[in-house]
Amino acid sequence: MSIIESNNWNNLPWRHLRPGIEQAVIATGADSMTVTIGRVYSGHEKRPHSHPNEQIALVVSGECDYYVDGVPYHLTAGSWVTVPANVEHYIHVHDCDEPCYQMDIFTPARPEYKAAYEQFLEEQKKAN
């Protein structure tokens, strides 16, 4: 059963995913979806991939080119692109001094993101 949560992503710790990309998982209590916020820097490590989840990639601030099935979509603050299940995609942030803040909404949920983030939070708690 979903629980009611409220917070601000500016208060969440960022988990390092790979060079140039950090992530926070929002609303870890949601049952049927996963929402993440990514901070992506120019020169980040690109990693084309696909997954069985549908996804909406929404740029909160900054800009990027978001490739879906080989087609680049130039996204700026407020822009989004949908990613169908099992279609290759990736983000490319380039020539920007500021990071791109990008929200991802996945359905069905991605329990591996929730589990990894909860483990990260526990490690952070132990370290402090």
Side-chain angles (χ1 to χ4, degrees):
M1 177 177 183
S2 291
I3 61 171
I4 297 171
E5 293 178 282
S6 178
N7 206 331
N8 182 315
W9 71 58
N10 292 307
N11 298 330
L12 298 175
W14 293 87
R15 181 171 75 97
H16 175 81
L17 291 183
R18 60 183 178 269
I21 299 182
E22 300 166 318
Q23 179 191 72
V25 177
I26 298 171
T28 57
D31 290 330
S32 61
M33 70 177 75
T34 298
V35 180
T36 65
I37 186 80
R39 185 163 50 195
V40 186
Y41 296 89
S42 183
H44 66 91
E45 179 183 320
K46 290 175 280 308
R47 190 176 294 168
H49 64 282
S50 64
H51 43 70
N53 314 76
E54 290 182 283
Q55 177 179 348
I56 298 171
L58 167 71
V59 171
V60 177
S61 68
E63 64 181 287
C64 68
D65 289 330
Y66 206 97
Y67 287 78
V68 179
D69 204 17
V71 177
Y73 296 87
H74 187 73
L75 304 181
T76 58
S79 302
W80 75 87
V81 64
T82 58
V83 181
N86 301 308
V87 172
E88 186 177 82
H89 58 284
Y90 65 96
I91 187 171
H92 182 201
V93 176
H94 53 92
D95 301 328
C96 298
D97 293 333
E98 298 295 320
C100 178
Y101 284 80
Q102 188 238 324
M103 180 179 290
D104 287 314
I105 304 163
F106 300 96
T107 187
R110 300 203 54 178
E112 73 277 16
Y113 278 15
K114 177 182 173 181
Y117 192 68
E118 287 177 341
Q119 179 181 349
F120 167 74
L121 292 176
E122 282 299 314
E123 292 167 359
Q124 292 289 305
K125 202 182 306 182
K126 289 177 186 175
N128 294 326

